[in-house]
Amino acid sequence: MKKRGRPPGYDHNEALDSAIQVFWTKGLSATSLDDLAAAMKMNRPSIYNAFGNKTSIYRKTFARFVAELGEQLDRELFGEPDLNKAMKQFYRTALDTYFTGTAPLGCFVTSTAVVEAAAHPEIREDLEVVINRIDSVIEKRLLAAQQDGSWPKDRDANNVAKLLHATLQSLAVRARGGESRTSLEAMYSGAVDILC
């Protein structure tokens, strides 16, 4: 028996993917429930019953995006044995995401959560978790390179991981601000060559 108010063919993940695009473009504050209803192809009561209020929907989309990001991090950073090539491939894939669509949106996390963190403690906590997760995965990749002898053992993996992550965040902001992909490719390539 179908739950009342949900449209035929309702798919939880598809609905969240549609909501991600709205939040990514407009941010949490500027997104209305009508925007979400149109994108998710659900009426407002159905959205509320399935996902909760607007902040709850945003946090669910955030969690879904971060889970996919975690898989991408592992695939890009550990699928290539050469550290320099792995980092450049990671940034290249990030730019593929940032430049999807008609206007570059940057990173979903950087473009939305940073703005909302001051007003929403729960989003600030979500943001802190993802920042620490990305730092940790990059640091783990650097430590692996130290172990196999391809990256100097006297380098501080923790701080370099944060710098590489900061490069990713800067790429996101600059992409959303209109900087060209060619310029951003030169930027990340230079950063990787210096740090890796």
Side-chain angles (χ1 to χ4, degrees):
M1 180 173 169
K2 280 185 212 166
K3 290 193 177 180
R4 186 180 176 127
R6 291 190 184 176
Y10 162 81
D11 182 278
H12 186 85
N13 290 332
E14 284 180 15
L16 286 178
D17 288 341
S18 297
I20 285 174
Q21 292 304 313
V22 178
F23 287 128
W24 203 339
T25 302
K26 301 183 82 169
L28 173 60
S29 297
T31 295
S32 70
L33 283 175
D34 289 336
D35 293 330
L36 292 171
M40 298 167 82
K41 298 181 174 62
M42 299 172 70
N43 62 42
R44 291 170 61 159
S46 296
I47 290 173
Y48 188 82
N49 288 334
F51 300 101
N53 64 22
K54 187 172 72 165
T55 301
S56 175
I57 299 165
Y58 171 80
R59 292 186 72 207
K60 286 177 172 65
T61 64
F62 185 92
R64 181 161 169 77
F65 183 86
V66 168
E68 291 174 3
L69 176 64
E71 292 173 10
Q72 179 185 327
L73 267 170
D74 290 337
R75 186 172 54 250
E76 300 295 345
L77 295 182
F78 294 93
E80 164 59 56
D82 181 275
L83 176 62
N84 187 288
K85 289 180 182 176
M87 286 306 308
K88 287 179 180 176
Q89 178 57 42
F90 169 64
Y91 290 128
R92 190 176 307 114
T93 301
L95 290 185
D96 287 345
T97 301
Y98 300 168
F99 282 87
T100 299
T102 55
L105 295 177
C107 173
F108 177 71
V109 172
T110 303
S111 298
T112 63
V114 172
V115 176
E116 302 298 337
H120 299 273
E122 67 276 24
I123 293 175
R124 183 176 62 245
E125 290 171 12
D126 294 342
L127 179 60
E128 182 180 11
V129 167
V130 73
I131 287 171
N132 291 336
R133 161 90 169 118
I134 294 170
D135 286 351
S136 176
V137 173
I138 296 173
E139 181 180 6
K140 183 179 172 186
R141 180 62 181 90
L142 294 173
L143 291 171
Q146 284 181 326
Q147 288 298 315
D148 69 23
S150 63
W151 196 63
K153 290 192 182 290
D154 63 349
R155 301 290 299 275
D156 183 338
N158 181 266
N159 280 329
V160 172
K162 289 178 180 179
L163 288 169
L164 289 167
H165 186 186
T167 299
L168 178 67
Q169 293 166 333
S170 184
L171 292 171
V173 171
R174 289 169 179 270
R176 193 166 179 115
E179 190 164 338
S180 74
R181 178 163 184 154
T182 301
S183 174
L184 297 178
E185 287 170 347
M187 177 185 156
Y188 78 64
S189 184
V192 171
D193 288 343
I194 291 167
L195 296 170
C196 300

